Amino acid sequence: MSPAVHTWPVITLTFGAEQIVADANGEVLTYPVLDAATAHEVAADAAAEACRRLGLKACRVQGHTEDGSVFEMVVDAELGTLEEYEPPAGPRPATSSSGRQGGSSASTRKAGARSGSQRRRALAIWGSVGILGLTAGASVAMNLTADDGEPVAVVHTPPPAQLPVPAPAGWDTYGAWATPMSGSPVKAILDWEGRPVSVDGSKLIGHDPDTGVEQWSRAAPFTVTQMAVFTVDGQTRLAAATSKELVLFTPDSPEPIRVEVPQEATVVLDGGTVPRLDLPDQKSLLVAADGSTAARVVPAAAKPLEAQGADLIAADAKAGKVWRVGTDSAALPKPATLPAPAKGAELTAVLGSVEGRVVAAWKDGKQTVVGFYDVDEATDATAVKQVAVRELNGSQITTSTVQADRAHGLLLASSVLIDVEATTAHRMEGQATLAAGYAWVTDDGEQSQVTRDGATEATTRADQAAVPDVITDNGMAMTRVAGATDGSLYALVETGPTPTASPSPTASTSPIASPTPTAKESP
């Protein structure tokens, strides 16, 4: 039995030369048309997805072509079919002499009054571009129900919920909305328009920040364990991956771009401006927007630091040498040696690289020094420029616990928070986690939210408080509960900060060595 088709809502399909746009009660979906011969399949997919988002099994569809033709169809979301709509025989309004059920708009009434020849012309137009393979007599009649009334569009709004653990410093446990992630360990991210993205198994979902309503979804061919958004070759891509599989999604298509990952490779999504596939034979593959890869040789004794566009930055921490490799040739460019911040200073660690700026730790007597070095683009020889050096009190920095927040240009090495762009370094008291553009420091029964310049913005007395994955533009902290069986994502409402005098980061941002003439100091 065919599902009931109600007179409202109506999905609008607008057909262009290169895309089909579906409007379902204000939610707009855009589907690219790559081949006119398959345009009818794209139209059916667009209408079916729009129907599902309305919470209906079948729905009326009104089609609009570029020449102004308007006609009625019906979509069956369960079967994925899109056919011309023909009301059953019976009394009809005088304005529907053509046999079509008109809507309330002027354009629909005009369409309903078409003559038989106009109707056949409209169908011919659609058939010629592969939209619908219909003839004048091929239509589907489905009953309008009267028993249940006329439903309105169903919007699936995630419910509010209370975070089951103490909230991050500066936020309350009240969640304006929460959505299940089925225990997924994947951190939420923000998409190309600042919308939070959750993961439920193999499904990625973009949510409205205010309400949590699903705005889009993508399905990966595997259970996703990591994801990130990149701008690759000037094009936005959402990467979903495991350690051995990788697909890319564009903002305007649900179809995944499959990346061929060698069996021995490891997928790295937090290692630069593009996804990276690291191989055990001293090679890395850098992923392009179309899913293709470019090989880059990693020098012997060196490790990859960062994929910077089409270049790979690698370093030998013991020798203090840095390479920027921009071709797939085995003939590597000449490396650059990191200049010591002061005579006799000893290199102890290369902490990482963000946006082409390498950060290294040095020991100068009893002092710890952090050096910042820009790696210039070059083909035959790598060149580095010392930007600034900062001194810190306390013990040496190690690379065993380096964390990176590339979206905000931050590194956290041991208890030292480093703003790579501003070339500042701040040592914090306690254990710290880097997330959402802040360091979250726990010490003496408190959790503190520490800004990039080392200032404590808020505190809470709960040392086991949660840490947010991201903070949206409307001030909500998107927070998961590590180890929770339901694995829900909570959109926590921001509250006023609680001032505190503890902990107080100790740092000096004054340079200890005279910068080179081309060096720049942070404000």
Side-chain angles (χ1 to χ4, degrees):
M1 179 178 177
S2 299
V5 182
H6 301 268
T7 58
W8 186 261
V10 178
I11 297 169
T12 300
L13 285 185
T14 303
F15 292 82
E18 298 179 353
Q19 65 182 17
I20 296 173
V21 179
D23 188 335
N25 198 36
E27 183 172 3
V28 178
L29 308 173
T30 302
Y31 284 66
V33 176
L34 303 179
D35 183 0
T38 61
H40 62 289
E41 298 176 2
V42 177
D45 290 343
E49 178 61 22
C51 186
R52 285 189 286 268
R53 295 196 182 196
L54 291 173
L56 301 176
K57 294 182 179 179
C59 190
R60 286 179 57 217
V61 178
Q62 187 179 95
H64 296 255
T65 60
E66 291 182 329
D67 73 340
S69 297
V70 181
F71 52 95
E72 302 291 332
M73 296 171 289
V74 64
V75 61
D76 187 316
E78 293 182 332
L79 298 178
T81 57
L82 179 65
E83 302 174 279
E84 184 193 13
Y85 174 68
E86 186 74 29
R92 296 174 183 167
T95 56
S96 298
S97 59
S98 70
R100 299 181 186 182
Q101 181 70 23
S104 60
S105 68
S107 61
T108 305
R109 290 195 298 272
K110 180 179 178 181
R114 291 179 185 273
S115 66
S117 61
Q118 288 174 315
R119 178 173 178 272
R120 285 190 293 271
R121 183 179 63 84
L123 292 176
I125 292 173
W126 282 52
S128 67
V129 296
I131 302 299
L132 290 173
L134 298 176
T135 64
S139 61
V140 57
M142 302 183 75
N143 291 326
L144 294 173
T145 62
D147 297 338
D148 300 330
E150 297 181 1
V152 296
V154 177
V155 178
H156 300 282
T157 304
Q162 292 289 337
L163 190 70
V165 298
W171 275 265
D172 191 85
T173 56
Y174 173 74
W177 55 269
T179 186
M181 288 181 63
S182 301
S184 173
V186 183
K187 289 185 177 181
I189 62 172
L190 299 180
D191 74 358
W192 41 86
E193 292 185 6
R195 294 169 296 201
V197 181
S198 67
V199 175
D200 194 346
S202 61
K203 186 177 182 181
L204 290 76
I205 305 169
H207 302 268
D208 179 275
D210 295 306
T211 65
V213 172
E214 180 179 320
Q215 299 292 292
W216 58 261
S217 66
R218 302 286 187 269
F222 46 76
T223 299
V224 178
T225 60
Q226 53 178 329
M227 65 174 172
V229 172
F230 297 91
T231 300
V232 184
D233 304 329
Q235 303 175 66
T236 300
R237 295 290 183 267
L238 172 64
T242 67
S243 62
K244 298 295 183 181
E245 297 175 282
L246 171 63
V247 292
L248 306 177
F249 292 100
T250 66
D252 56 359
S253 174
E255 294 301 319
I257 301 171
R258 192 74 184 244
V259 179
E260 293 296 329
V261 180
Q263 185 176 2
E264 65 277 16
T266 300
V267 180
V268 180
L269 293 189
D270 61 351
T273 61
V274 299
R276 203 176 77 210
L277 312 178
D278 286 349
L279 295 160
D281 59 351
Q282 291 298 107
K283 281 187 179 181
S284 285
L285 305 179
L286 307 188
V287 180
D290 61 359
S292 62
T293 58
R296 299 291 181 260
V297 175
V298 181
K303 292 184 178 181
L305 291 182
E306 179 186 23
Q308 183 62 24
D311 296 347
L312 178 69
I313 298 176
D316 180 345
K318 291 185 177 181
K321 296 185 182 298
V322 175
W323 290 260
R324 183 163 184 151
V325 184
T327 69
D328 59 0
S329 172
L332 294 169
K334 183 180 179 181
T337 301
L338 296 176
K343 186 177 181 179
E346 176 187 352
L347 179 66
T348 59
V350 175
L351 303 177
S353 177
V354 177
E355 294 292 343
R357 178 169 291 175
V358 172
V359 182
W362 301 78
K363 180 180 179 181
D364 184 16
K366 296 182 178 181
Q367 297 291 333
T368 297
V369 179
V370 178
F372 299 83
Y373 308 90
D374 282 350
V375 183
D376 293 339
E377 297 183 24
T379 302
D380 298 328
T382 304
V384 299
K385 178 178 61 178
Q386 179 178 288
V387 177
V389 291
R390 310 297 182 193
E391 74 173 30
L392 289 169
N393 296 321
S395 59
Q396 293 298 311
I397 304 174
T398 65
T399 59
S400 59
T401 56
V402 175
Q403 303 172 47
D405 183 350
R406 295 183 179 277
H408 298 91
L410 300 175
L411 292 176
L412 180 65
S414 300
S415 60
V416 177
L417 177 62
I418 299 170
D419 186 331
V420 179
E421 181 180 0
T423 67
T424 59
H426 304 273
R427 191 183 294 277
M428 298 166 293
E429 301 295 335
Q431 300 295 318
T433 299
L434 189 61
Y438 295 90
W440 305 85
V441 184
T442 57
D443 183 54
D444 193 24
E446 285 187 342
Q447 184 199 68
S448 298
Q449 178 193 6
V450 179
T451 65
R452 61 193 308 122
D453 57 2
T456 299
E457 187 162 300
T459 62
T460 177
R461 289 299 304 173
D463 60 352
Q464 298 299 317
V467 172
D469 291 342
V470 292
I471 299 171
T472 61
D473 290 340
N474 65 352
M476 288 186 179
M478 308 308 301
T479 307
R480 294 170 300 112
V481 180
T485 55
D486 62 351
S488 292
L489 180 69
Y490 298 81
L492 303 182
V493 179
E494 188 177 16
T495 61
T498 304
T500 183
S502 173
S504 52
T506 58
S508 169
T509 57
S510 59
I512 63 168
S514 298
T516 61
T518 57
K520 58 182 179 181
E521 291 297 332
S522 61

